[in-house]
Amino acid sequence: MRDTQTIFLCDDDAGVRNSLSFLCRQHGFEVSAHSSGPELLSAIDAMASPVRGVFVLDVTMEPMSGPQVHEQLRARGLGKRNPVIFLSAHGDVPIVVAALTKGALNFVEKPHTDGTLLPLIRQALALEEVWQSQARRAELLQSLWGSLSLQQKRVALLVAEGKLNKVIASLLDVSERTVEVHRSKVFEKMGVDSAAALATTIADLRACGISIAVDGESMN
Amino acid sequence: MLHAATPQPFQRRAQDALWRRILWVFPGILAVIFVLLVVVWAEFNQKNERTAFEQTLLADAASVEAQLVGRQDMERAKLREVARKLPDATAGSSLNLAAMPDVVAGMDRLWNWLVWLDGNNRVVARAERKKPMEILASDDLHVQADGLAHHLVEPVLDAAGNPAGQLLARYAIGDLLRSTDLAWLNRRYEVSFVSELGEIIATTAVSGKEPRGVMHEMPLTAFKDASLRLTPYEAPVSWRESSSTVLLLLGMLLLGLGASHWLRKEMRQVSRAVTEAQTEAAWRQSMEDSALVGLRARDAQGRILYVNKTLCEMVGFAREDLVGLMPPLPFWPTDTLEALLARNTNTLAGDAPSAGFETRWRHRDGHYLDVVIFESRLVNSEGVHIGWMGSIIDISERKRLEERDRQHTDTLAQHARLNDMGLLASELAHELNQPLTTIVSYSAGLEIAMKRQPALDADLIVAVEEVNRHARKAGDIVNWIRKQTSRSAVDRKNRDINDIVSEVLGSRMVQRQCAHVRLVTSLASGLPWVTVDTIGIEQVMTNLIRNAADVLKMKTGEKTITLSTQLHRRRPDGEEEILVGVVDNGAGLQGRTIDVLCSAFYSTKQGGMGLGLGICRSIIEAHHGTFTAEEAPGGGAAFFFTLPTSALALQAGAL
């Protein structure tokens, strides 16, 4: 199933908002136009399914500026899923620079006469696909990892390090047989068929920033 | 330094000569010398007189004695005559001696008695006078010791001529004196004959006349046991006893001393007056020399009579070089000589402007100075106009400051004009931005939409393509303008923001504008530098201060403008930046946002262009800073702008 990507447009100037909506629609994109940050955020919050698409935000808006909206989106966990493009006007350079360091994809200076906006939107949409799938995979991995018991997680980490069952048994102070049972359960739950594949998956988990620590949990 | 209590800051030119200061002594000394000379002369004179008198006295005494000796000799001769006439002693016994004519004559004359003694001292004969003697002269002579007598002895010779006895005549000394003519002497002296024992034998001391002077006594050879005493009636009078002389001398002395005293008093007064005059002259000289105003006095023809030190220093000529000169003067610049001569003629004609006139002089070392000259009439004590008094003030420094201030203002104004243009363009660009974005978007969208339509009029496609193309072109122009204006800040330097604040506060323009306002600063120390266009930032501050000062004009009570600088962390990313605030305690923003305040042609001021704050914002934004306005906590408007620190500015510039 492929979700429809939407361009979430936010600009307090009606002319710019409407014309950009029109342009994007003519290019066949789904557009959701909003006149202010709070309006956009409440629309986002009302959506049940994961938000698909990119954000195009004007920098200078009242009462909430573009970077502030960006901040709110990141607070909602959308920073790694939905690219943000800023529409900047004259004099916004420091603000835009700051926003870029916070993870915004790019910015376009108004008026966008050089035709940079639509290519940028396309690029952003493509990127969004990747980000979304990465995010989905991370979610999947996290849920798989979460389905493991504490002892299974310990065994999984040690297996991923390439340790033999015998070594693992002595480390965890259990029988070699028990280790073997845990190992087959882990392979089954994580959907892998080798220790090398498990190691890759755990590396992915680490890369997604998902907590795989087990030390903090009870040892009994 | 002036000491009011003892105004003696000036050394006297030269100490007066000693003789000059003690000149007053001379009358007194002269008087004393004169009196002393008179006394000496009088003493000398008196001594001479006394000597002469004593000589006269001696001579007189001698002549008295001579007279008495003469009498004695004469009597002795008479007695010898008698002795010679005597007969032989043997016959003499019968001789009546008293009958002899010579004896009678002798008896009448003087003799009291006569005894003839023979060789064996036996009395041969004797005669005695019976009646008292007739007084012939010297009535005034009073004989006191009548009994005193004297003998004359003459030998009696015999026929052979051998001594054969002697003849004795006895006479009373008183009779001798009485019969001697001493009248000539009596008038001058009290004449006394004194015995060996000091008894007065005879004296003329009778007639009420008191003898004075020194008594003179000399022994008489005529009478061995008596002496003559002369006491003059008229002794030479001593000047000391003459009250008139003493008074005269005393008066003389007093007069001389009085003259000295008076002279001393006068001299002291004169000396005091001279000292005062010298002091006053010195004061005046020093006042004139230390005046900041150059002074110059000229006669009616324009010849310099006097210049003070200040003027000399102003033009670099010595006083001696200037006094006596006629125009043209040596410190007149040669290129304006004719104009100065013409004005000089006007001045001498009395047409100098009372408000003074400005001119330019040339110092001896060649530099020029601007001066203001005030000419006034020089009037002597009789009220006659004798020339012109000029007061000259050196205004070069003032001119220089004015010129610098003017240049600075010009620069600011020029900068402001350029910025106005930039702002206008920028504002236009900003205002055109949104509609252009709209047009570009619509036309681009429209082109796509139309191309999807089947059997569309080709002209419409061309039309929408043209709209799209021109809209893009307009957008390019706007972008170009914006790039131009954002690139306009060129000359940037690393500065300490507090230095710029100080320079702004020190500028005459701000001080003039804020004469009615209390300016407060709250400057953080140790701030990192900012890389700025100094004039631009100065203009922003000046503008904000001027706006605040204008607003505060309406306010009553305490009027304060606070300038602050501090280190500040930018909200999105925590980067360090400098926050500069200009806060007044006026009416506040009254609900206007920074965008309203900064929009072009928006002004609350009558006659304001409404570009001021807009310019400020564009300058700050050109520095990658932000410009904000808010209500001050205690009421009033607070304008803040931020400037990236130098490191960040470089970073931003590199992007």
Side-chain angles (χ1 to χ4, degrees):
Chain A
M1 182 195 89
R2 184 178 183 263
D3 287 329
T4 315
Q5 286 179 309
T6 309
I7 297 172
F8 295 96
L9 181 65
C10 190
D11 195 321
D12 55 354
D13 186 288
V16 174
R17 188 171 67 238
N18 294 337
S19 64
L20 280 179
S21 303
F22 174 75
L23 178 61
C24 291
R25 276 200 300 276
Q26 293 311 313
H27 279 279
F29 299 124
E30 191 69 33
V31 180
S32 168
H34 304 275
S35 64
S36 73
E39 188 190 316
L40 172 70
L41 290 173
S42 58
I44 295 289
D45 292 343
M47 291 172 74
S49 54
V51 179
R52 293 298 313 274
V54 300
F55 292 93
V56 178
L57 306 174
D58 190 22
V59 172
T60 316
M61 287 190 294
E62 292 292 338
M64 198 182 264
S65 73
Q68 282 170 321
V69 175
H70 184 205
E71 199 81 22
Q72 288 296 316
L73 294 175
R74 289 198 295 129
R76 284 164 174 74
L78 302 179
K80 287 278 197 258
R81 289 166 170 267
N82 305 89
V84 173
I85 298 170
F86 280 112
L87 294 174
S88 88
H90 174 61
D92 296 337
V93 176
I95 301 171
V96 169
V97 170
L100 290 181
T101 64
K102 293 284 178 334
L105 179 64
N106 213 330
F107 70 96
V108 175
E109 270 192 299
K110 287 195 279 189
H112 47 93
T113 55
D114 50 357
T116 49
L117 179 61
L118 279 164
L120 204 55
I121 287 175
R122 288 208 171 85
Q123 183 197 339
L125 287 171
L127 196 63
E128 196 256 4
E129 289 278 5
V130 178
W131 283 9
Q132 287 289 357
S133 69
Q134 278 176 350
R136 272 199 305 278
R137 177 171 158 70
E139 269 175 23
L140 176 69
L141 287 177
Q142 194 171 13
S143 68
L144 290 179
W145 180 258
S147 66
L148 298 183
S149 74
L150 188 61
Q151 194 68 354
Q152 286 167 350
K153 284 179 184 169
R154 286 183 187 128
V155 171
L157 286 173
L158 291 168
V159 169
E161 284 172 22
K163 294 207 163 54
L164 297 175
N165 287 352
K166 197 165 62 179
V167 178
I168 295 169
S170 71
L171 276 172
L172 295 178
D173 199 17
V174 292
S175 68
E176 206 173 327
R177 174 70 194 148
T178 314
V179 172
E180 268 176 33
V181 171
H182 280 314
R183 183 189 175 111
S184 62
K185 263 285 185 227
V186 167
F187 278 19
E188 185 190 323
K189 279 187 178 174
M190 295 300 287
V192 294
D193 50 5
S194 68
L198 181 64
T200 310
T201 309
I202 286 180
D204 283 352
L205 275 168
R206 282 215 175 88
C208 294
I210 295 162
S211 173
I212 52 170
V214 292
D215 295 344
E217 296 180 25
S218 172
M219 291 293 286
N220 50 2
Chain B
M1 191 112 352
L2 301 182
H3 297 285
T6 52
Q8 273 193 309
F10 307 104
Q11 191 73 32
R12 250 213 246 156
R13 292 278 160 78
Q15 193 75 305
D16 274 342
L18 187 68
W19 67 270
R20 228 177 225 291
R21 279 184 296 143
I22 57 162
L23 200 62
W24 57 271
V25 177
F26 285 98
I29 288 179
L30 283 177
V32 168
I33 290 173
F34 179 76
V35 168
L36 283 177
L37 283 174
V38 167
V39 167
V40 167
W41 174 77
E43 286 288 332
F44 179 74
N45 222 20
Q46 192 172 337
K47 202 178 153 206
N48 278 354
E49 209 170 278
R50 191 173 294 274
T51 312
F53 179 77
E54 274 167 10
Q55 278 168 358
T56 313
L57 193 70
L58 285 174
D60 284 348
S63 82
V64 168
E65 177 159 25
Q67 207 175 352
L68 288 175
V69 169
R71 276 290 302 282
Q72 248 181 341
D73 286 349
M74 191 194 79
E75 291 303 329
R76 206 173 273 130
K78 293 285 185 193
L79 191 61
R80 204 179 300 132
E81 190 72 15
V82 173
R84 197 170 41 85
K85 283 177 185 168
L86 284 178
D88 192 20
T90 51
S93 58
S94 60
L95 181 68
N96 188 3
L97 210 53
M100 282 178 73
D102 288 340
V103 173
V104 172
M107 290 292 181
D108 287 344
R109 213 168 48 238
L110 183 68
W111 301 337
N112 283 344
W113 47 259
L114 197 68
V115 178
W116 182 8
L117 295 176
D118 64 10
N120 300 320
N121 286 335
R122 283 183 308 250
V123 174
V124 177
R126 58 182 299 151
E128 196 170 347
R129 193 176 52 191
K130 300 290 190 270
K131 56 178 181 180
M133 232 189 76
E134 226 174 285
I135 293 164
L136 299 172
S138 303
D139 287 344
D140 347 351
L141 191 69
H142 302 269
V143 177
Q144 314 248 323
D146 249 344
L148 219 56
H150 205 263
H151 293 88
L152 289 173
V153 180
E154 280 300 319
V156 179
L157 302 176
D158 61 13
N162 295 320
Q166 52 188 339
L167 192 62
L168 276 82
R170 183 187 169 98
Y171 64 90
I173 292 174
D175 290 342
L176 179 71
L177 293 176
R178 220 178 270 135
S179 62
T180 309
D181 182 13
L182 295 173
W184 60 275
L185 208 58
N186 275 352
R187 279 195 297 277
R188 284 162 61 189
Y189 306 104
E190 184 186 285
V191 186
S192 301
F193 291 92
V194 184
S195 75
E196 217 169 2
L197 302 169
E199 294 167 305
I200 292 173
I201 302 164
T203 181
T204 59
V206 277
S207 58
K209 278 206 241 174
E210 277 296 313
R212 314 151 49 159
V214 181
M215 181 181 73
H216 185 78
E217 214 171 301
M218 66 179 289
L220 287 170
T221 49
F223 313 103
K224 283 196 185 70
D225 46 0
S227 56
L228 174 67
R229 181 189 287 173
L230 290 178
T231 314
Y233 291 120
E234 296 283 335
V237 179
S238 164
W239 63 271
R240 284 187 220 110
E241 287 151 32
S242 157
S243 59
S244 61
T245 310
V246 172
L247 278 178
L248 210 66
L249 285 178
L250 215 60
M252 190 80 193
L253 200 61
L254 283 176
L255 215 63
L257 291 176
S260 265
H261 178 72
W262 175 80
L263 194 59
R264 180 162 181 256
K265 220 170 80 179
E266 285 296 304
M267 277 180 69
R268 281 200 165 180
Q269 261 178 10
V270 168
S271 163
R272 202 157 42 232
V274 166
T275 307
E276 275 168 15
Q278 279 176 346
T279 308
E280 198 187 321
W283 268 105
R284 188 168 302 153
Q285 184 68 45
S286 118
M287 271 159 65
E288 282 164 4
D289 286 349
S290 48
L292 294 173
V293 176
L295 296 174
R296 150 188 98 174
R298 298 188 297 164
D299 66 12
Q301 283 74 47
R303 180 178 284 107
I304 293 179
L305 303 173
Y306 166 82
V307 288
N308 73 347
K309 197 169 143 207
T310 312
L311 185 72
C312 294
E313 283 167 2
M314 244 181 232
V315 296
F317 286 92
R319 189 169 293 177
E320 306 81 68
D321 298 340
L322 294 176
V323 170
L325 288 185
M326 292 281 282
L329 298 171
F331 46 81
W332 287 4
T334 42
D335 48 344
T336 55
L337 213 56
E338 281 178 23
L340 286 174
L341 271 173
R343 188 157 52 205
N344 182 58
T345 313
N346 278 346
T347 302
L348 295 180
D351 294 337
S354 60
F357 52 85
E358 282 187 23
T359 190
R360 178 165 271 236
W361 282 354
R362 192 165 181 272
H363 190 274
R364 195 173 200 170
D365 67 14
H367 78 254
Y368 286 88
L369 60 151
D370 292 294
V371 294
V372 182
I373 304 176
F374 300 92
E375 293 279 6
S376 56
R377 286 166 167 271
L378 193 62
V379 174
N380 71 3
S381 53
E382 278 93 47
V384 179
H385 173 221
I386 54 166
W388 297 95
M389 189 73 206
S391 315
I392 294 100
I393 300 170
D394 186 351
I395 55 165
S396 306
E397 183 65 9
R398 196 178 84 199
K399 280 263 190 188
R400 203 176 58 75
L401 286 177
E402 277 173 4
E403 178 65 16
R404 203 182 61 179
D405 209 37
R406 198 181 58 74
Q407 279 176 355
H408 192 70
T409 312
D410 280 357
T411 313
L412 273 184
Q414 195 179 9
H415 199 268
R417 268 196 301 279
L418 285 175
N419 255 294
D420 283 355
M421 305 248 308
L423 182 84
L424 202 59
S426 175
E427 282 296 326
L428 278 174
H430 191 76
E431 293 301 320
L432 288 175
N433 228 0
Q434 306 290 68
L436 271 177
T437 307
T438 306
I439 293 168
V440 168
S441 303
Y442 272 126
S443 63
L446 201 58
E447 193 182 335
I448 295 164
M450 284 172 108
K451 279 178 179 166
R452 277 207 297 270
Q453 297 290 321
L456 188 72
D457 193 340
D459 284 353
L460 286 180
I461 299 283
V462 172
V464 79
E465 276 175 354
E466 282 301 297
V467 170
N468 200 6
R469 197 169 66 82
H470 284 282
R472 281 166 195 272
K473 195 175 173 184
D476 284 340
I477 292 170
V478 166
N479 272 335
W480 180 82
I481 290 172
R482 281 172 41 182
K483 287 206 171 74
Q484 290 301 310
T485 53
S486 68
R487 228 179 269 146
S488 66
V490 275
D491 188 21
R492 292 194 180 168
K493 290 194 172 73
N494 286 334
R495 294 291 309 268
D496 182 342
I497 188 73
N498 290 343
D499 288 348
I500 301 179
V501 172
S502 303
E503 276 161 30
V504 167
L505 290 181
S507 84
R508 287 160 72 96
M509 199 157 76
V510 164
Q511 296 198 335
R512 250 200 318 270
Q513 299 259 352
C514 296
H516 61 297
V517 175
R518 194 165 69 93
L519 278 170
V520 181
T521 53
S522 158
L523 307 179
S525 57
L527 291 175
W529 281 12
V530 288
T531 305
V532 293
D533 166 18
T534 306
I535 294 177
I537 299 302
E538 277 184 8
Q539 200 188 3
V540 171
M541 290 187 197
T542 308
N543 227 319
L544 291 177
I545 293 170
R546 189 170 54 206
N547 278 354
D550 284 344
V551 167
L552 289 175
K553 270 181 191 156
M554 317 293 175
K555 189 179 185 281
T556 53
E558 169 98 350
K559 303 170 181 179
T560 311
I561 298 176
T562 307
L563 265 89
S564 61
T565 58
Q566 65 185 86
L567 196 62
H568 177 253
R569 289 196 179 277
R570 199 156 63 192
R571 228 180 308 149
D573 55 12
E575 285 282 0
E576 281 188 348
E577 59 187 4
I578 306 293
L579 181 70
V580 181
V582 178
V583 182
D584 67 57
N585 64 345
L589 300 178
Q590 296 165 338
R592 291 169 303 214
T593 63
I594 188 72
D595 285 322
V596 172
L597 289 168
C598 290
S599 60
F601 316 118
Y602 177 87
S603 178
T604 55
K605 279 185 269 178
Q606 212 166 13
M609 263 280 279
L611 289 176
L613 288 176
I615 293 169
C616 291
R617 182 161 74 168
S618 50
I619 290 171
I620 295 303
E621 285 176 351
H623 285 84
H624 305 306
T626 53
F627 187 78
T628 55
E630 55 192 61
E631 296 287 348
F639 285 88
F640 291 101
F641 61 86
T642 63
L643 291 170
T645 60
S646 290
L648 191 70
L650 288 174
Q651 221 172 44
L655 274 168

